[in-house]
Amino acid sequence: MKTEALAEKIGKIAGISRISQNEKLSGHTTFQAGGPAKLFAVPEEPDALKELLRLLAAEKEPFFILGNGSNVLFRDEGFSGVVISMKALNRITVDPDTGILEAEGGAALSTAAGQAAAASLTGMEFAAGIPGTIGGAVVMNAGAYGGEMKHIVEEVTLLNEETGEIMKKTGAEMQFGYRESLLKREPAVVLRVRLRLQAGDPEKIRETMAELSEKRREKQPLEYPSAGSTFKRPEGYFAGKLIEDAGLKGFSVGGASVSEKHAGFVINRDHATASELITLIHEVQRIVLEKQGVLLEPEVLIL
Ligand SMILES: Cc1cc2nc3c(=O)[nH]c(=O)nc-3n(C[C@H](O)[C@H](O)[C@H](O)COP(=O)(O)OP(=O)(O)OC[C@H]3O[C@@H](n4cnc5c(N)ncnc54)[C@H](O)[C@@H]3O)c2cc1C
């Protein structure tokens, strides 16, 4: 189907708040790089998302589910299908008595962590500084400073992308591992997540969040666009240390650089293209393998 006609059909679905053509994906990813999406759609209701996926399946149109774009890198050619932003599906409810926080897939982790803290619930402090959505964090089993989504996810409500069926999975059924989950192997949309938190001391929770945020500011190049740690931690090593020991701090391709502050971060230092960022990532892999004998696996998803 022609792009215009498809855009018109999508625009008619109730609960799709925005549909645009040739939307620059650099504006929707924390790397601030990458070309346009043929179409970019923002559903505001789960039913709208369901109907949209049904239409795309019928039209055999490729699509990509985007959270906050903090772990993806789109190529300069862009995405020749429909990018579906989850960010308007962002409702959060907290019950301080039961310790249950429920959030839609597009809710920001930082907002959820803030609401947990405001309800004196502990367990989410680790996630306050991770710039992703709850859905993206479940897919990646995001973690930091000893905490992981795995420890707090009680139940996930999923939407099967092909059949439109709604399924519920327990935390154990999500098969969480290091930056891994069932959804890496069997993609489905994270509609809702139920987290189990514990009653805690509000002052202590805020203190921990402030401490972790200070640690991030001190150690990470937050002043530059990036996707966080570019590579997974290889077993028995730290990616940043391997890269630093290979003499690659500051190593650059065009506007893309290995951060001087933390070698585990590839940063967009100066208007880098996606192709410069990808070339740099591959160069770092090649040189570290040559010098240290370890193959670094990107954590960031290159599309
Ligand atoms: C400065 C910085 C610091 C970071 N620090 C950390 C850290 O400490 N720990 C850590 O683990 N990560 C960290 N990250 C990486 C990133 O924030 C996490 O991986 C985060 O969980 C990604 O969430 P997102 O919403 O941005 O997902 P996206 O990047 O938008 O997507 C990631 C994957 O999840 C899928 N996805 C997203 N939402 C959904 C959904 N609702 N349903 C189904 N699939 C979905 C996408 O299709 C894609 O495959 C950091 C990134 C940055 C930029």
Side-chain angles (χ1 to χ4, degrees):
M1 185 184 276
K2 288 252 168 61
T3 308
E4 302 272 325
L6 184 61
E8 205 182 314
K9 268 200 167 179
I10 294 175
K12 283 190 182 143
I13 299 174
I16 297 283
S17 67
R18 190 154 85 79
I19 172 81
S20 60
Q21 288 186 44
N22 291 320
E23 176 98 4
K24 281 188 185 163
L25 291 167
S26 51
H28 297 282
T29 58
T30 56
F31 249 140
Q32 295 179 19
K38 186 167 92 175
L39 288 173
F40 186 87
V42 186
E44 280 186 336
E45 296 298 332
D47 279 350
L49 173 61
K50 224 172 140 177
E51 204 175 325
L52 173 60
L53 289 176
R54 200 180 306 134
L55 170 66
L56 299 180
E59 297 297 334
K60 298 195 169 44
E61 184 69 27
F63 64 88
F64 183 80
I65 302 289
L66 185 66
N68 194 39
S70 63
N71 210 26
V72 293
L73 176 52
F74 289 99
R75 291 176 196 274
D76 296 315
E77 296 76 27
F79 185 78
S80 64
V82 183
V83 171
I84 302 172
S85 168
M86 291 296 290
K87 282 171 72 177
L89 288 159
N90 58 12
R91 284 156 279 223
I92 301 172
T93 56
V94 191
D95 183 344
D97 298 329
T98 58
I100 296 288
L101 183 150
E102 290 216 44
E104 285 186 316
L109 270 183
S110 56
T111 310
Q115 293 202 13
S120 302
L121 293 176
T122 182
M124 254 202 113
E125 294 88 331
F126 78 91
I130 302 178
T133 59
I134 290 269
V138 165
V139 174
M140 300 300 300
N141 183 25
Y145 306 112
E148 274 178 279
M149 292 306 286
K150 174 186 173 172
H151 298 148
I152 55 173
V153 171
E154 187 169 86
E155 187 182 85
V156 183
T157 306
L158 297 169
L159 173 63
N160 185 303
E161 296 173 352
E162 276 153 31
T163 63
E165 184 198 351
I166 305 265
M167 305 163 282
K168 288 194 193 265
K169 298 264 181 208
T170 62
E173 286 169 339
M174 290 302 293
Q175 301 173 18
F176 289 121
Y178 171 63
R179 301 297 172 266
E180 279 294 334
S181 72
L182 172 72
L183 300 180
K184 286 273 191 91
R185 296 176 290 281
E186 294 175 23
V189 184
V190 176
L191 283 183
R192 284 184 84 73
V193 181
R194 188 201 294 166
L195 305 180
R196 161 83 54 193
L197 305 170
Q198 263 73 47
D201 170 2
E203 208 156 297
K204 178 93 201 313
I205 295 168
R206 281 209 187 79
E207 238 171 61
T208 307
M209 277 165 64
E211 259 168 41
L212 297 184
S213 149
E214 184 48 37
K215 269 194 193 168
R216 275 184 193 272
R217 264 197 303 277
E218 215 178 277
K219 297 260 157 64
Q220 302 181 357
L222 301 182
E223 59 281 23
Y224 289 104
S226 78
S229 298
T230 312
F231 300 98
K232 287 188 179 178
R233 192 177 57 232
E235 229 177 290
Y237 301 93
F238 287 102
K241 173 97 172 57
L242 287 170
I243 298 167
E244 186 174 347
D245 290 351
L248 292 173
K249 263 193 169 176
F251 179 57
S252 299
V253 174
S257 296
V258 172
S259 163
E260 296 271 4
K261 196 168 174 183
H262 188 320
F265 280 56
V266 162
I267 56 169
N268 183 344
R269 188 182 33 80
D270 186 15
H271 302 92
T273 60
S275 132
E276 288 168 348
L277 289 161
I278 294 166
T279 305
L280 178 62
I281 290 170
H282 290 160
E283 275 299 279
V284 169
Q285 280 180 303
R286 186 184 65 75
I287 296 168
V288 168
L289 181 62
E290 200 177 281
K291 291 198 174 172
Q292 329 268 58
V294 180
L295 178 63
L296 293 175
E297 189 191 335
E299 180 177 316
V300 50
L301 183 65
I302 300 171
L303 291 153

